[in-house]
Amino acid sequence: MNLPADHIRLLFGLKLRQLRLDKGLSVSELAQKSGLSVSYVTEIEKGRKYPKADKISALANAMQVDYDSLVSLKLSKKLEPISDLLRSKFLTEIPLELFGIDPSDLLELLAEAPAKVSAMIRTFMDIALSYNMSVERLYLTMLRSYQEMHDNYFPEIEAEADQFLSEFAPSDRPVEEALLVNLLKTRYDVKIEQFDTLTNPELLSLRSVYRPEHHTLHMNVGLSVEQRIFILAREVGFQFLHLKNRPYTYSWVEAESFEQILNNYKASYFAGAILIRREALVTKVEQLFARETWSSDDFLQLIADFGATPERFFYRLSNVLPSHFGIDQLFFYRFNHIPGQTTFKLTKEMHLSRQQGPRGIVDEHFCRRWIAWTILQELQFLQQHKGFDGTLCRAQLSEYADSGSQYLIISVAHPFQPEFQQNMSVSMCFAVNDTLKSKMKFLNAPNGVSSLTDIPFRVVNQTCERCGIFDCRERVAAPTVLQKKRQFEATKKAMEKLK
């Protein structure tokens, strides 16, 4: 693998520094023995300079090692993780600037404390391996962090969407399927074909495939109208925003780089922005929040008015709530469930609150009192006993048993991929605070006292393993984590009593 010049400089500097320390030499002693200045040796060790051949020879002689060994890019065992990092795609593919990191600062950190940084990198790599984290999952985790850093609102993409709407759908004209198809065919020379999963069962999990060599967008014939319009809008987004490095499948089979994941997000954000206009959404949400009582049916109707899937609507809602309502303590999650099974799979999450919610917990059982699970159980019952094939919406006020923090949860459940006999719930969770109460009138009675008689209240927790509600009928696992914590605290108290 060809390494960038700055990585080669850093590898050489790290190796020189480690050899110097192994020989018991200070920087000034090495400089004196090699005939080089102290500042120049320091610059080499920090990866800022790469010496010419005669100076490398002088350094090798000073430390009594051969020339070839010194210039070899192979590092000692304790520095191998840094070498692995530099040889990987991480530093070249991840746009560190997005996260406020100057790549040169990172390289300098590696040079300043290589042993400590090496141990840290090895720890992260071991954690990733322990939890079977794929490169794609790492990319998606980074994307989620990027969204959370910006409260999932990106003015530059909003501006591009506004430009598109003013040019192709002025006067609040809706962006319809015919407009998107016409733009793709005439303006961007993209052909649109359909594929049938009955004749192509291997493509059952895909909604679309773009073949750049043929300029053809292949779409699954079984898509709903909402899904089809979103995929067309997303394809227009790739073309309108000039996003060349992109995934060609949806959902993708694999991601080759973080740039592909990021560009896919940008195109999807653009699609959401042109299909659900910001001004119209803000107006309708203000009207909903101004009501004195909550109505799940009215919320479902709002989603239908925008012609969106529940997930797409919630995601668009997460764009405008922080920026236009000051509601930034919220989180979103999606669960998939196969009726008849007792497991619920967390398939997507985003936290703008950075506080609570089912985050970062593995190998534990999430609290079954959350509306995200109970609504899936209700949907399963209605499907099996009432022949129901529609969409449910429920709200719940949840209070954490440990902290007392309260969240308003709005959850929508509906059939997802019927061919897999799978249901999905998507939920938006709002921290109940003064800001939320000032925006949502239905959270307050006329006398100023909280009145949530129309919204069920439940005490919840994170997982069964951490929960102290011992009479819980929904418990599916013993409170092992809580028991270990209490045992540890008891041990500490007993130790303090020893004299």
Side-chain angles (χ1 to χ4, degrees):
M1 177 185 293
N2 294 325
L3 293 176
D6 54 352
H7 292 189
I8 294 175
R9 290 197 304 270
L10 181 59
L11 282 172
F12 183 85
L14 289 172
K15 187 164 190 175
L16 178 66
R17 184 177 187 274
Q18 191 60 50
L19 284 171
R20 175 179 61 77
L21 293 174
D22 291 343
K23 297 291 184 179
L25 298 173
S26 66
V27 175
S28 59
E29 288 172 333
L30 176 58
Q32 184 178 10
K33 285 178 175 288
S34 62
L36 304 177
S37 68
V38 172
S39 61
Y40 187 63
V41 173
T42 300
E43 291 286 286
I44 295 173
E45 289 192 354
K46 288 188 175 183
R48 296 172 181 168
K49 303 280 188 182
Y50 191 88
K52 294 183 179 180
D54 60 330
K55 293 182 173 58
I56 294 176
S57 180
L59 290 167
N61 291 333
M63 291 188 294
Q64 297 180 333
V65 298
D66 61 87
Y67 182 97
D68 291 340
S69 174
L70 184 56
V71 297
S72 168
L73 296 181
K74 182 174 177 59
L75 296 180
S76 64
K77 184 177 181 179
K78 66 174 63 175
L79 297 180
E80 278 181 359
I82 292 180
S83 179
D84 292 341
L85 176 68
L86 294 175
R87 294 173 187 275
S88 72
K89 296 180 179 180
F90 183 83
L91 291 179
T92 54
E93 288 197 352
I94 304 301
L96 297 173
E97 296 86 352
L98 289 178
F99 301 92
I101 300 173
D102 187 328
S104 62
D105 291 341
L106 180 59
L107 294 177
E108 185 167 342
L109 174 63
L110 293 175
E112 289 289 345
K116 294 179 181 179
V117 175
S118 181
M120 180 187 70
I121 293 170
R122 175 59 68 188
T123 299
F124 290 155
M125 293 172 66
D126 288 345
I127 290 173
L129 289 173
S130 297
Y131 291 109
N132 194 28
M133 179 175 283
S134 64
V135 173
E136 180 177 287
R137 184 179 170 190
L138 174 63
Y139 288 156
L140 291 173
T141 301
M142 294 181 66
L143 174 63
R144 190 173 67 226
S145 297
Y146 178 63
Q147 293 172 254
E148 293 168 2
M149 284 171 54
H150 295 274
D151 286 331
N152 202 32
Y153 183 74
F154 296 89
E156 64 277 10
I157 305 180
E158 296 282 351
E160 294 278 8
D162 289 343
Q163 179 183 339
F164 174 89
L165 291 170
S166 65
E167 184 175 354
F168 298 107
S171 304
D172 295 330
R173 184 160 61 96
V175 176
E176 298 176 336
E177 183 174 355
L179 170 64
L180 297 169
V181 169
N182 182 61
L183 281 173
L184 287 172
K185 289 182 176 180
T186 60
R187 186 182 181 92
Y188 301 114
D189 192 30
V190 174
K191 293 177 288 186
I192 300 173
E193 304 286 349
Q194 291 187 327
F195 64 85
D196 193 336
T197 55
L198 293 177
T199 56
N200 297 278
E202 299 83 2
L203 302 178
L204 185 62
S205 63
L206 296 181
R207 296 186 182 182
S208 66
V209 179
Y210 180 71
R211 298 296 302 274
E213 66 273 23
H214 304 301
H215 296 280
T216 302
L217 177 64
H218 299 267
M219 300 177 65
N220 192 320
V221 71
L223 296 177
S224 67
V225 173
E226 295 85 0
Q227 291 171 336
R228 193 168 61 244
I229 291 177
F230 175 75
I231 288 173
L232 291 169
R234 171 177 165 270
E235 187 59 42
V236 168
F238 282 122
Q239 304 294 336
F240 189 83
L241 299 176
H242 306 290
L243 302 173
K244 303 299 183 184
N245 190 4
R246 49 168 290 185
Y248 295 122
T249 56
Y250 184 77
S251 297
W252 50 73
V253 175
E254 61 180 355
E256 297 177 354
S257 67
F258 178 72
E259 186 181 6
Q260 286 190 355
I261 297 288
L262 182 60
N263 285 343
N264 181 75
Y265 171 72
K266 290 179 178 179
S268 298
Y269 188 111
F270 176 88
I274 65 172
L275 294 176
I276 303 179
R277 293 175 184 259
R278 184 175 62 257
E279 292 81 2
L281 179 60
V282 169
T283 298
K284 287 185 176 291
V285 169
E286 285 176 342
Q287 294 170 354
L288 179 71
F289 286 177
R291 298 179 183 179
E292 295 187 356
T293 58
W294 166 258
S295 171
S296 294
D297 290 338
D298 288 348
F299 190 79
L300 283 180
Q301 185 59 52
L302 181 60
I303 297 175
D305 289 344
F306 284 104
T309 63
E311 181 176 3
R312 182 51 48 192
F313 180 82
F314 273 132
Y315 244 64
R316 186 61 178 144
L317 193 60
S318 73
N319 299 148
V320 303
L321 286 176
S323 58
H324 291 74
F325 293 85
I327 300 174
D328 57 1
Q329 295 296 299
L330 54 86
F331 57 92
F332 164 93
Y333 53 80
R334 181 183 75 190
F335 283 92
N336 288 21
H337 174 243
I338 297 177
Q341 295 187 2
T342 58
T343 57
F344 300 84
K345 186 177 181 181
L346 178 63
T347 53
K348 186 175 288 188
E349 58 180 318
M350 180 177 64
H351 300 250
L352 301 187
S353 67
R354 303 175 182 88
Q355 294 177 0
Q356 297 284 11
R359 179 180 201 175
I361 297 175
V362 295
D363 299 329
E364 295 183 32
H365 298 80
F366 293 125
C367 176
R368 262 43 178 183
R369 295 183 173 199
W370 284 81
I371 192 67
W373 288 277
T374 59
I375 194 174
L376 284 169
Q377 293 169 333
E378 181 182 357
L379 179 60
Q380 171 184 302
F381 177 84
L382 292 175
Q383 289 171 334
Q384 294 176 345
H385 300 282
K386 304 291 184 179
F388 182 77
D389 62 354
T391 300
L392 291 180
C393 177
R394 298 289 183 263
Q396 175 180 301
L397 184 69
S398 299
E399 180 177 299
Y400 271 91
D402 297 334
S403 66
S405 299
Q406 290 188 351
Y407 284 86
L408 171 67
I409 320 291
I410 301 174
S411 187
V412 177
H414 62 98
F416 172 69
Q417 294 183 330
E419 63 272 19
F420 295 114
Q421 297 182 330
Q422 190 171 181
N423 292 328
M424 171 198 290
S425 73
V426 289
S427 306
M428 185 74 78
C429 313
F430 310 85
V432 178
N433 50 31
D434 291 342
T435 299
L436 194 73
K437 290 179 180 179
S438 70
K439 300 296 182 181
M440 296 182 176
K441 189 175 181 179
F442 57 81
L443 290 182
N444 301 278
N447 60 4
V449 180
S450 179
S451 175
L452 294 166
T453 55
D454 53 330
I455 300 179
F457 171 88
R458 295 205 77 178
V459 176
V460 301
N461 219 318
Q462 287 184 301
T463 68
C464 292
E465 286 80 356
R466 300 166 188 264
C467 184
I469 308 175
F470 295 104
D471 60 347
C472 177
R473 292 183 298 175
E474 292 86 353
R475 178 180 291 281
V476 293
T480 53
V481 175
L482 178 64
Q483 289 168 350
K484 289 180 180 178
K485 180 180 179 181
R486 289 181 175 177
Q487 183 179 2
F488 179 74
E489 291 173 349
T491 301
K492 285 181 64 178
K493 289 181 179 179
M495 291 169 56
E496 291 170 358
K497 294 179 180 179
L498 294 176
K499 296 182 180 178

